[in-house]
Amino acid sequence: MRRKGIKRKVYGEEESLLNMERFRRNADSAELTVGEFELFFYESMVDRKRLEWVVVDHLAKHQAIPDIHKLLELKEVEDELLKGFCVIKHGDSWFSIPISDRQSRDVTVPETEATVTGQRLAFNENLQINLNLLRNTVRSKDLVIEQWEIGTASPRSVCMAYIEGKAQAGTVQQIKERIQAFDIEYLEGSSHLEQLLNKRTYSVFPSMLHTERVDRVTAQLLAGRIALFVDGNPFVLTAPHRFIENLQSPEDYQMNWLMGSALRLLRITSFFIGFVLTPFYVAIVTFHYLVIPPELMVLLAESRSQVPFTPMVEALLMEVAIELLRETGSRLPERVGQTVGIVGGIVIGQAAVTAGLTSNILLIVVALSMLATLVLPFQLSNSVRILRFPLLFAAGVFGGLGVMIGMFLIVTYLCRLKHFEEPYFSPQGALLPERLLDSAIRAPFQKMMKKEGS
């Protein structure tokens, strides 16, 4: 094999057009001559065994090479090299052979959406593996997959999958037009894609469902949704997205409908607890302490007797401390993060109570609020964590009235919110029994199948 620095060839005008100097100055670039054929490739990106067995051996024996295709334009050479392909020059003709060796994780169980029962297949960073998992699960002749290269500086593949006849043609066309209109240098991942597709740039609520579960994407496609895959990212986006989908889990369908419905109601309750528990505590202690039972009022007074702050300031300090602990635990290595989260929470909480910076009851309230947000998906829990602070300010200034006005504004906004022309609160907006069979509760399969067949 001849490395780039040992011997160089001059290709005249073609060399200037191809700009092979940019290729040669890379440490992992390589050139190889086999008879009258000249091979160019990046050593770090090709499969060495396939290079020897498929390319070099066939060229030496003058045999046809499988999967070879001719490059019609000279500018395609650099693009093929960057994909990990081997480019062959024969006379004035150029050819490309896909022999890239792309490293990726094996198919594993879902990490962010773990369940006790049900399918345990998760997508990974390899787009072809993800499409393979999808094709093996959705065995439908109507499944359509379209692909684009996004990014001018570093192109990245984006795939859109949908079932023709189930997905809304208008939504498919709308997403396609938005993707084709992108003019960016680099697409970082699925979250970046979601933000580019979302016209509501100031909305804190997730506009698409993020999932790494194969079975969940399958269910979404069969329900008429559209799935978006980004090469190099294990999370798949589905659209249009509804609010209630954040509170549903694939495990709901693996158990009795009563238990599945109970767990959904628990998640809905957790959503409201995460929003209003701490603000209501601040409002009651500050303005509405007369509603507190006398026995509890005595305990509360004793707990707050040494606290120098107002309830609002006290709650804000504890919420900020909890957020710092959560972020610290998520950024550190797994074992260290768990230790810091547990020990830090106990030590800081106990020290704060002993020093008189907070009360025992508020510590319990903040901990319950944090546990409630952990029940929710990551994207929705972030929305709750952000909006909790304005509600705290409203509770400290206006009391319970401020909390109720804040919740009214949030619910009103959610009712008006639309993504790809579909209401965010659908199907709760139209209180029709047949449309609520799989929303806040999960009806028996017999009723849902009857509704689908009608």
Side-chain angles (χ1 to χ4, degrees), residues 58-305:
H58 283 68
L59 289 177
K61 296 178 181 179
H62 295 279
Q63 297 176 346
I65 302 176
D67 297 329
I68 189 171
H69 68 277
K70 187 175 182 179
L71 301 180
L72 301 178
E73 298 182 10
L74 296 177
K75 64 180 181 181
E76 293 181 307
V77 173
E78 283 185 307
D79 295 335
E80 298 294 286
L81 289 170
L82 291 172
K83 293 177 182 177
F85 292 3
C86 175
V87 174
I88 301 177
K89 183 178 186 294
H90 183 238
D92 295 332
S93 301
W94 293 83
F95 303 88
S96 170
I97 306 171
I99 56 169
S100 59
D101 180 22
R102 182 172 180 181
Q103 302 297 321
S104 64
R105 291 186 298 132
D106 294 330
V107 178
T108 59
V109 299
E111 296 182 3
T112 60
E113 298 175 279
T115 57
V116 178
T117 58
Q119 191 183 94
R120 298 191 179 185
L121 286 177
F123 295 112
N124 63 17
E125 288 79 9
N126 191 306
L127 180 61
Q128 296 306 317
I129 292 178
N130 293 342
L131 296 180
N132 176 277
L133 292 172
L134 182 67
R135 283 286 187 187
N136 284 316
T137 308
V138 186
R139 299 181 180 179
S140 171
K141 59 182 176 57
D142 296 321
L143 177 62
V144 179
I145 298 177
E146 301 184 33
Q147 182 170 335
W148 300 272
E149 296 293 325
I150 305 300
T152 56
S154 177
R156 173 168 286 190
S157 298
V158 174
C159 282
M160 178 176 68
Y162 60 93
I163 297 180
E164 195 170 22
K166 287 185 176 291
Q168 294 290 333
T171 305
V172 172
Q173 185 63 28
Q174 192 175 2
I175 293 177
K176 188 185 303 185
E177 290 175 356
R178 292 186 188 182
I179 291 178
Q180 293 173 343
F182 288 164
D183 185 17
I184 58 175
E185 291 187 346
Y186 177 64
L187 182 65
E188 295 185 2
S190 56
S191 296
H192 189 191
L193 178 63
E194 177 195 10
Q195 295 175 55
L196 292 174
L197 290 173
N198 185 18
K199 289 188 175 181
R200 301 263 185 175
T201 55
Y202 297 103
S203 176
V204 299
F205 289 94
S207 60
M208 295 185 182
L209 178 67
H210 294 241
T211 180
E212 60 175 339
R213 295 185 63 94
V214 179
D215 56 349
R216 195 164 194 187
V217 173
T218 301
Q220 290 285 307
L221 289 175
L222 293 173
R225 306 292 194 279
I226 300 163
L228 296 170
F229 297 78
V230 178
D231 191 19
N233 196 288
F235 288 93
V236 179
L237 304 174
T238 63
H241 179 47
R242 299 173 180 175
F243 173 79
I244 195 63
E245 292 172 356
N246 295 301
L247 306 175
Q248 297 173 341
S249 170
E251 200 168 26
D252 297 343
Y253 304 95
Q254 305 297 328
M255 57 184 66
N256 181 275
W257 71 275
L258 290 172
M259 182 58 66
S261 299
L263 291 179
R264 283 191 186 178
L265 293 174
L266 178 63
R267 296 186 201 105
I268 295 173
T269 305
S270 299
F271 173 75
F272 286 104
I273 289 176
F275 253 127
V276 302
L277 185 59
T278 308
F280 265 131
Y281 167 84
V282 172
I284 290 173
V285 173
T286 306
F287 295 97
H288 315 294
Y289 47 84
L290 292 178
V291 303
I292 304 175
E295 297 81 1
L296 182 59
M297 189 65 189
V298 174
L299 295 176
L300 184 61
E302 292 177 354
S303 178
R304 284 193 45 79
S305 60

Side-chain angles (χ1 to χ4, degrees), residues 2-70:
R2 183 174 74 252
R3 292 304 309 275
K4 62 184 178 73
I6 298 176
K7 186 177 180 181
R8 299 179 58 181
K9 290 181 175 293
V10 178
Y11 297 103
E13 185 178 353
E14 291 186 3
E15 177 70 13
S16 62
L17 291 173
L18 291 170
N19 197 8
M20 295 303 290
E21 290 296 331
R22 188 158 43 189
F23 165 76
R24 284 196 174 96
R25 70 185 181 209
N26 290 286
D28 58 341
S29 64
E31 301 177 32
L32 181 65
T33 301
V34 181
E36 65 272 24
F37 300 96
E38 297 178 68
L39 280 62
F40 303 88
F41 55 89
Y42 286 109
E43 289 182 313
S44 60
M45 300 183 70
V46 299
D47 186 335
R48 294 293 189 86
K49 293 182 179 180
R50 293 188 64 192
L51 176 67
E52 296 290 339
W53 297 347
V54 178
V55 182
V56 177
D57 188 59
H58 283 68
L59 289 177
K61 296 178 181 179
H62 295 279
Q63 297 176 346
I65 302 176
D67 297 329
I68 189 171
H69 68 277
K70 187 175 182 179

